mmCIF file of all heavy atoms in Angstrom:
data_model
loop_
_atom_site.group_PDB
_atom_site.id
_atom_site.type_symbol
_atom_site.label_atom_id
_atom_site.label_comp_id
_atom_site.label_asym_id
_atom_site.label_seq_id
_atom_site.Cartn_x
_atom_site.Cartn_y
_atom_site.Cartn_z
ATOM 1 N N ASP L 70 113.971 98.072 64.683
ATOM 2 C CA ASP L 70 114.788 98.992 63.898
ATOM 3 C C ASP L 70 114.188 99.091 62.501
ATOM 4 O O ASP L 70 113.612 98.120 62.001
ATOM 5 C CB ASP L 70 116.227 98.488 63.719
ATOM 6 C CG ASP L 70 116.911 98.043 64.997
ATOM 7 O OD1 ASP L 70 116.608 98.620 66.065
ATOM 8 O OD2 ASP L 70 117.753 97.141 64.920
ATOM 9 N N ALA L 71 114.381 100.222 61.823
ATOM 10 C CA ALA L 71 113.956 100.343 60.434
ATOM 11 C C ALA L 71 114.678 101.500 59.767
ATOM 12 O O ALA L 71 115.172 102.417 60.426
ATOM 13 C CB ALA L 71 112.451 100.551 60.329
ATOM 14 N N GLY L 72 114.710 101.433 58.435
ATOM 15 C CA GLY L 72 115.265 102.523 57.647
ATOM 16 C C GLY L 72 114.494 102.685 56.357
ATOM 17 O O GLY L 72 113.894 101.727 55.849
ATOM 18 N N ILE L 73 114.488 103.894 55.806
ATOM 19 C CA ILE L 73 113.771 104.196 54.568
ATOM 20 C C ILE L 73 114.554 105.237 53.788
ATOM 21 O O ILE L 73 115.185 106.127 54.365
ATOM 22 C CB ILE L 73 112.332 104.675 54.881
ATOM 23 C CG1 ILE L 73 111.491 104.812 53.620
ATOM 24 C CG2 ILE L 73 112.350 105.976 55.671
ATOM 25 C CD1 ILE L 73 110.004 105.043 53.913
ATOM 26 N N MET L 74 114.548 105.128 52.453
ATOM 27 C CA MET L 74 115.300 106.062 51.622
ATOM 28 C C MET L 74 114.635 106.179 50.264
ATOM 29 O O MET L 74 114.041 105.225 49.759
ATOM 30 C CB MET L 74 116.743 105.579 51.450
ATOM 31 C CG MET L 74 117.656 106.545 50.722
ATOM 32 S SD MET L 74 119.378 105.953 50.722
ATOM 33 C CE MET L 74 120.192 107.356 49.945
ATOM 34 N N THR L 75 114.741 107.360 49.651
ATOM 35 C CA THR L 75 114.238 107.585 48.303
ATOM 36 C C THR L 75 115.396 107.869 47.362
ATOM 37 O O THR L 75 116.507 108.213 47.783
ATOM 38 C CB THR L 75 113.267 108.774 48.250
ATOM 39 O OG1 THR L 75 114.013 109.995 48.366
ATOM 40 C CG2 THR L 75 112.233 108.695 49.363
ATOM 41 N N SER L 76 115.108 107.763 46.054
ATOM 42 C CA SER L 76 116.132 108.070 45.065
ATOM 43 C C SER L 76 116.459 109.554 45.019
ATOM 44 O O SER L 76 117.450 109.953 44.412
ATOM 45 C CB SER L 76 115.695 107.586 43.688
ATOM 46 O OG SER L 76 114.378 108.014 43.384
ATOM 47 N N GLY L 77 115.656 110.379 45.691
ATOM 48 C CA GLY L 77 115.977 111.797 45.835
ATOM 49 C C GLY L 77 116.937 112.078 46.964
ATOM 50 O O GLY L 77 117.201 113.223 47.309
ATOM 51 N N ARG L 78 117.465 111.014 47.584
ATOM 52 C CA ARG L 78 118.444 111.066 48.668
ATOM 53 C C ARG L 78 117.853 111.492 50.012
ATOM 54 O O ARG L 78 118.573 111.848 50.940
ATOM 55 C CB ARG L 78 119.637 111.982 48.331
ATOM 56 C CG ARG L 78 120.563 111.439 47.251
ATOM 57 C CD ARG L 78 121.256 110.172 47.716
ATOM 58 N NE ARG L 78 122.409 109.827 46.908
ATOM 59 C CZ ARG L 78 122.373 109.040 45.829
ATOM 60 N NH1 ARG L 78 121.221 108.533 45.440
ATOM 61 N NH2 ARG L 78 123.462 108.768 45.151
ATOM 62 N N ASP L 79 116.538 111.457 50.122
ATOM 63 C CA ASP L 79 115.923 111.609 51.438
ATOM 64 C C ASP L 79 116.058 110.273 52.154
ATOM 65 O O ASP L 79 115.844 109.212 51.556
ATOM 66 C CB ASP L 79 114.452 111.986 51.319
ATOM 67 C CG ASP L 79 114.240 113.369 50.744
ATOM 68 O OD1 ASP L 79 115.059 114.258 51.034
ATOM 69 O OD2 ASP L 79 113.264 113.544 50.000
ATOM 70 N N ALA L 80 116.394 110.317 53.449
ATOM 71 C CA ALA L 80 116.586 109.072 54.193
ATOM 72 C C ALA L 80 116.322 109.299 55.667
ATOM 73 O O ALA L 80 116.521 110.392 56.199
ATOM 74 C CB ALA L 80 118.006 108.532 53.997
ATOM 75 N N GLY L 81 115.876 108.234 56.329
ATOM 76 C CA GLY L 81 115.672 108.285 57.769
ATOM 77 C C GLY L 81 115.690 106.892 58.350
ATOM 78 O O GLY L 81 115.358 105.919 57.664
ATOM 79 N N ALA L 82 116.103 106.797 59.591
ATOM 80 C CA ALA L 82 116.139 105.505 60.269
ATOM 81 C C ALA L 82 115.897 105.708 61.756
ATOM 82 O O ALA L 82 116.159 106.783 62.307
ATOM 83 C CB ALA L 82 117.486 104.817 60.037
ATOM 84 N N ALA L 83 115.390 104.666 62.383
ATOM 85 C CA ALA L 83 115.158 104.681 63.823
ATOM 86 C C ALA L 83 115.499 103.292 64.346
ATOM 87 O O ALA L 83 115.228 102.287 63.679
ATOM 88 C CB ALA L 83 113.705 105.027 64.131
ATOM 89 N N CYS L 84 116.085 103.237 65.525
ATOM 90 C CA CYS L 84 116.554 101.937 65.991
ATOM 91 C C CYS L 84 116.425 101.786 67.500
ATOM 92 O O CYS L 84 116.238 102.760 68.222
ATOM 93 C CB CYS L 84 118.010 101.708 65.579
ATOM 94 S SG CYS L 84 119.203 102.803 66.362
ATOM 95 N N SER L 85 116.520 100.524 67.928
ATOM 96 C CA SER L 85 116.537 100.147 69.337
ATOM 97 C C SER L 85 115.308 100.662 70.072
ATOM 98 O O SER L 85 115.397 101.214 71.169
ATOM 99 C CB SER L 85 117.822 100.660 70.004
ATOM 100 O OG SER L 85 118.165 99.887 71.120
ATOM 101 N N MET L 86 114.136 100.414 69.463
ATOM 102 C CA MET L 86 112.886 100.962 69.987
ATOM 103 C C MET L 86 112.019 99.887 70.624
ATOM 104 O O MET L 86 111.479 99.028 69.912
ATOM 105 C CB MET L 86 112.091 101.638 68.855
ATOM 106 C CG MET L 86 112.790 102.816 68.224
ATOM 107 S SD MET L 86 111.783 103.569 66.907
ATOM 108 C CE MET L 86 111.809 102.255 65.674
ATOM 109 N N PRO L 87 111.830 99.893 71.919
ATOM 110 C CA PRO L 87 110.864 98.985 72.543
ATOM 111 C C PRO L 87 109.443 99.459 72.276
ATOM 112 O O PRO L 87 109.160 100.661 72.277
ATOM 113 C CB PRO L 87 111.210 99.070 74.029
ATOM 114 C CG PRO L 87 111.833 100.418 74.200
ATOM 115 C CD PRO L 87 112.548 100.708 72.918
ATOM 116 N N GLY L 88 108.550 98.517 72.012
ATOM 117 C CA GLY L 88 107.132 98.848 71.920
ATOM 118 C C GLY L 88 106.684 99.536 70.657
ATOM 119 O O GLY L 88 105.573 100.069 70.616
ATOM 120 N N VAL L 89 107.497 99.528 69.601
ATOM 121 C CA VAL L 89 107.107 100.172 68.339
ATOM 122 C C VAL L 89 106.900 99.099 67.277
ATOM 123 O O VAL L 89 107.866 98.511 66.784
ATOM 124 C CB VAL L 89 108.152 101.195 67.871
ATOM 125 C CG1 VAL L 89 107.733 101.805 66.533
ATOM 126 C CG2 VAL L 89 108.327 102.291 68.912
ATOM 127 N N GLU L 90 105.649 98.831 66.942
ATOM 128 C CA GLU L 90 105.326 97.827 65.929
ATOM 129 C C GLU L 90 105.733 98.292 64.542
ATOM 130 O O GLU L 90 106.372 97.560 63.787
ATOM 131 C CB GLU L 90 103.830 97.530 65.967
ATOM 132 C CG GLU L 90 103.365 96.572 64.884
ATOM 133 C CD GLU L 90 101.861 96.328 64.930
ATOM 134 O OE1 GLU L 90 101.214 96.726 65.926
ATOM 135 O OE2 GLU L 90 101.336 95.745 63.959
ATOM 136 N N HIS L 91 105.357 99.509 64.194
ATOM 137 C CA HIS L 91 105.625 100.008 62.848
ATOM 138 C C HIS L 91 106.888 100.875 62.856
ATOM 139 O O HIS L 91 106.834 102.104 62.715
ATOM 140 C CB HIS L 91 104.419 100.766 62.321
ATOM 141 C CG HIS L 91 103.227 99.889 62.105
ATOM 142 N ND1 HIS L 91 103.293 98.714 61.372
ATOM 143 C CD2 HIS L 91 101.947 99.983 62.546
ATOM 144 C CE1 HIS L 91 102.106 98.137 61.358
ATOM 145 N NE2 HIS L 91 101.278 98.882 62.062
ATOM 146 N N ALA L 92 108.006 100.190 62.977
ATOM 147 C CA ALA L 92 109.291 100.890 63.002
ATOM 148 C C ALA L 92 109.528 101.672 61.722
ATOM 149 O O ALA L 92 110.173 102.721 61.726
ATOM 150 C CB ALA L 92 110.424 99.892 63.230
ATOM 151 N N VAL L 93 108.999 101.179 60.593
ATOM 152 C CA VAL L 93 109.188 101.890 59.330
ATOM 153 C C VAL L 93 108.549 103.272 59.382
ATOM 154 O O VAL L 93 109.063 104.228 58.778
ATOM 155 C CB VAL L 93 108.629 101.065 58.147
ATOM 156 C CG1 VAL L 93 107.115 100.950 58.202
ATOM 157 C CG2 VAL L 93 109.075 101.646 56.818
ATOM 158 N N SER L 94 107.456 103.413 60.111
ATOM 159 C CA SER L 94 106.819 104.728 60.232
ATOM 160 C C SER L 94 107.652 105.663 61.094
ATOM 161 O O SER L 94 107.713 106.878 60.839
ATOM 162 C CB SER L 94 105.411 104.584 60.811
ATOM 163 O OG SER L 94 104.577 103.888 59.905
ATOM 164 N N ALA L 95 108.306 105.108 62.116
ATOM 165 C CA ALA L 95 109.226 105.921 62.914
ATOM 166 C C ALA L 95 110.384 106.403 62.054
ATOM 167 O O ALA L 95 110.823 107.561 62.161
ATOM 168 C CB ALA L 95 109.739 105.114 64.100
ATOM 169 N N ALA L 96 110.896 105.527 61.184
ATOM 170 C CA ALA L 96 111.971 105.925 60.278
ATOM 171 C C ALA L 96 111.504 107.027 59.326
ATOM 172 O O ALA L 96 112.249 107.966 59.024
ATOM 173 C CB ALA L 96 112.463 104.716 59.499
#
Side-chain angles (χ1 to χ4, degrees):
D70 311 328
I73 188 170
M74 186 174 185
T75 74
S76 49
R78 290 295 196 269
D79 293 325
C84 66
S85 205
M86 297 181 292
V89 178
E90 176 182 349
H91 294 309
V93 68
S94 294

